[in-house]
């Protein structure tokens, strides 16, 4: 197999398609380097004293795990002096993190969920890092939170690293979705799959079924019809998977199809769903669409939602196109 490294891929992509200016390439390489460091920490587990809680809460009132904090620090530290960013924002921080004045600055904004799937850290199940890159608005001056409030359609790059049996980096810069596997001996990311495509139809769904009693009618209807199997309205049997790490669930769907759902429910109208628009839904929506799938909040395309705040939550339905369109239609029927 001819080995193509992440750097070679990025340089070649710019040469052929002009989609990755040097600044963006260097920024992606810094993020990938930070993910490599996170991967090494994750794999050390108890030996690296990285498991367990940090005894702190993040802005969303969630108890932080040590690895949430460590991964956040690694991403901040790596990207602060890279010279390609104006500011960063993280699921784990209350507000934005402008690049300190002692470092050179650039024209991009970086958002991340440093450690996705926190509940799986201590049980040795796949977890990940999700990131999204925006261009700072022209003439922004000092970075503000408002500068980050751009719809997902404005993303110039999005990706995730999954720390599983293998560590992989899945990336899009708007020209397909490509997967790189970490070669631990060489310390490099190697292109192992180009132009990933999500099958349009599927027989597999992912949802936290324990919330069923709280769901709204369209989601009840959609899932009930799948559960009814061959003799029900859908005329086929469905299988279910729920890893409880969005990164790992989306990675499965990218590889073999399926629909992933984290709907809003009737518990707390002030919290429409669990997942965050800026750090989870938007980057994953860009990846899924670039792979031929679809991503909605049940009513509209996720990437068209105008963000109103940094830590905004949204309902998420993403994956194989036919299924996402069907559950979105059920919402419209209501
Ligand atoms: O605990 P639940 O309800 O199954 O939720 C699982 C979902 O929560 C998340 O873990 C939220 O992400 P964080 O771990 O970054 O907070 C998703 O990765 C996952 O899909
Ligand atoms: Mg997450
Ligand atoms: Mg997280």
């Amino acid at each position: 197999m001819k080995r193509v490294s992440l750097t070679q891929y990025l340089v070649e992509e710019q040469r052929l398609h002009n989609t990755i200016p040097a600044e963006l390439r260097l920024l992606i390489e810094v993020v990938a380097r930070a993910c490599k460091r996170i991967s090494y920490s994750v794999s050390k587990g108890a030996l690296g004293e990285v498991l367990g809680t940090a005894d702190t809460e993040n802005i969303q009132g969630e108890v932080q795990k040590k690895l949430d904090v460590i991964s956040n620090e690694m991403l901040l530290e790596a990207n602060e002096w890279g010279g390609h960013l104006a500011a960063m924002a993280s699921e784990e921080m209350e507000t934005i993190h402008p690049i300190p004045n002692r470092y050179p600055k650039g024209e991009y904004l970086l958002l991340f969920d440093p450690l996705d799937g926190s509940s799986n850290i201590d049980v040795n199940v796949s977890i990940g890092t999700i990131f999204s890159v925006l261009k700072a608005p022209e003439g922004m001056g000092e970075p503000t939170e408002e500068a980050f409030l751009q719809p997902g359609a404005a993303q110039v790059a999005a990706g995730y690293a999954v720390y599983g049996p293998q560590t992989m980096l899945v990336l899009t810069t708007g020209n397909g979705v490509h997967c790189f596997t970490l070669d631990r001996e060489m310390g490099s990311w190697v292109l192992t799959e180009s132009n990933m495509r999500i099958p349009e139809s599927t027989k597999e769904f992912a949802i936290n079924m324990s919330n069923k009693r709280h769901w709204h009618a369209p989601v009840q209807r959609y899932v009930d019809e799948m559960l009814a199997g061959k003799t029900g309205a859908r005329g086929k049997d469905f299988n279910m998977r729920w890893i409880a790490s969005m990164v790992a669930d989306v990675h499965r769907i990218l590889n073999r199809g399926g629909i992933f759902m984290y709907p809003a429910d009737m518990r707390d109208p002030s919290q429409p769903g669990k997942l965050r628009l800026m750090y989870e839904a938007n980057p994953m929506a860009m990846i899924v669409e670039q792979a031929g799938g679809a991503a909605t909040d049940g009513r509209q395309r996720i990437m068209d939602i105008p963000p109103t705040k940094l830590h905004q939550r949204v309902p998420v339905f993403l994956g194989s196109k036919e299924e996402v369109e069907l559950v979105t239609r059920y919402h419209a029927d209501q």
Side-chain angles (χ1 to χ4, degrees):
M1 178 175 88
K2 182 176 171 281
R3 286 168 71 105
V4 175
S5 71
L6 175 64
T7 306
Q8 284 168 326
Y9 160 77
L10 293 168
V11 169
E12 194 64 2
E13 178 69 18
Q14 169 64 7
R15 202 174 61 79
L16 295 176
H17 305 289
N18 207 21
T19 55
I20 312 180
E23 288 282 291
L24 180 58
R25 167 169 61 82
L26 294 169
L27 157 54
I28 291 169
E29 286 182 316
V30 174
V31 174
R33 210 152 43 230
C35 291
K36 210 187 299 180
R37 277 191 73 195
I38 297 171
S39 171
Y40 292 143
S41 277
V42 166
S43 63
K44 280 193 188 133
L47 302 177
E49 298 183 10
V50 295
L51 304 183
T53 56
D55 298 324
T56 46
E57 275 190 4
N58 66 11
I59 167 72
Q60 357 238 344
E62 297 160 342
V63 175
Q64 290 178 301
K65 296 287 178 84
K66 278 187 198 162
L67 265 174
D68 286 321
V69 178
I70 293 169
S71 309
N72 194 56
E73 283 302 316
M74 285 180 176
L75 281 157
L76 289 180
E77 194 187 297
N79 286 287
E80 261 187 344
W81 54 273
H84 321 294
L85 287 175
M88 293 178 257
S90 161
E91 180 192 280
E92 299 299 334
M93 298 187 303
E94 183 167 355
T95 185
I96 64 164
H97 181 91
I99 300 301
N101 284 331
R102 61 183 181 280
Y103 296 120
K105 296 180 193 175
E107 56 185 20
Y108 291 102
L109 304 172
L110 175 69
L111 301 101
F112 46 81
D113 173 356
L115 214 290
D116 176 66
S118 299
S119 71
N120 283 325
I121 293 173
D122 295 341
V123 290
N124 199 11
V125 169
S126 296
I127 49 183
T129 296
I130 311 173
F131 65 93
S132 158
V133 185
L134 294 164
K135 203 87 189 266
E138 296 263 327
M140 174 181 68
E142 281 307 303
T144 57
E145 230 175 85
E146 286 65 47
F148 283 81
L149 302 182
Q150 305 178 35
Q155 293 171 106
V156 293
Y160 64 79
V162 57
Y163 314 116
Q166 301 113 47
T167 288
M168 290 178 166
L169 182 78
V170 171
L171 176 72
T172 182
T173 53
N175 187 25
V177 179
H178 312 286
C179 179
F180 302 83
T181 302
L182 180 61
D183 179 335
R184 282 178 186 272
E185 275 98 63
M186 305 300 285
S188 58
W189 295 100
V190 181
L191 181 64
T192 43
E193 205 179 338
S194 300
N195 291 311
M196 300 176 85
R197 301 300 292 172
I198 301 176
E200 284 198 8
S201 50
T202 179
K203 289 179 169 184
E204 207 160 72
F205 68 96
I207 192 165
N208 184 341
M209 286 292 294
S210 70
N211 295 326
K212 188 173 194 302
R213 68 193 181 285
H214 304 297
W215 296 339
H216 295 290
V219 181
Q220 296 279 6
R221 173 184 173 194
Y222 176 67
V223 174
D224 280 346
E225 285 182 2
M226 285 192 289
L227 293 175
K230 234 183 206 133
T231 53
R234 299 297 308 274
K236 57 180 177 180
D237 291 333
F238 282 80
N239 192 12
M240 196 202 88
R241 287 286 183 276
W242 184 250
I243 301 173
S245 292
M246 186 191 199
V247 160
D249 278 310
V250 170
H251 193 67
R252 183 190 61 253
I253 287 169
L254 267 184
N255 280 284
R256 67 172 194 218
I259 178 167
F260 170 92
M261 295 169 274
Y262 214 114
D265 62 36
M266 289 180 291
R267 277 173 292 185
D268 180 359
S270 72
Q271 293 219 343
K274 178 179 185 185
L275 301 177
R276 277 122 311 200
L277 176 62
M278 307 301 288
Y279 319 105
E280 293 168 318
N282 271 341
M284 288 311 200
M286 182 177 182
I287 291 166
V288 164
E289 284 196 11
Q290 282 291 318
T296 75
D297 68 352
R299 307 218 168 253
Q300 62 171 327
R301 181 178 178 234
I302 282 177
M303 288 205 289
D304 287 339
I305 298 173
T308 54
K309 54 184 186 195
L310 211 48
H311 297 293
Q312 184 171 347
R313 294 177 194 257
V314 285
V316 172
F317 300 86
L318 60 76
S320 294
K321 212 174 196 158
E322 283 179 9
E323 295 301 322
V324 175
E325 282 171 2
L326 183 62
V327 70
T328 305
R329 200 158 67 238
Y330 285 1
H331 281 80
D333 287 353
Q334 266 282 303

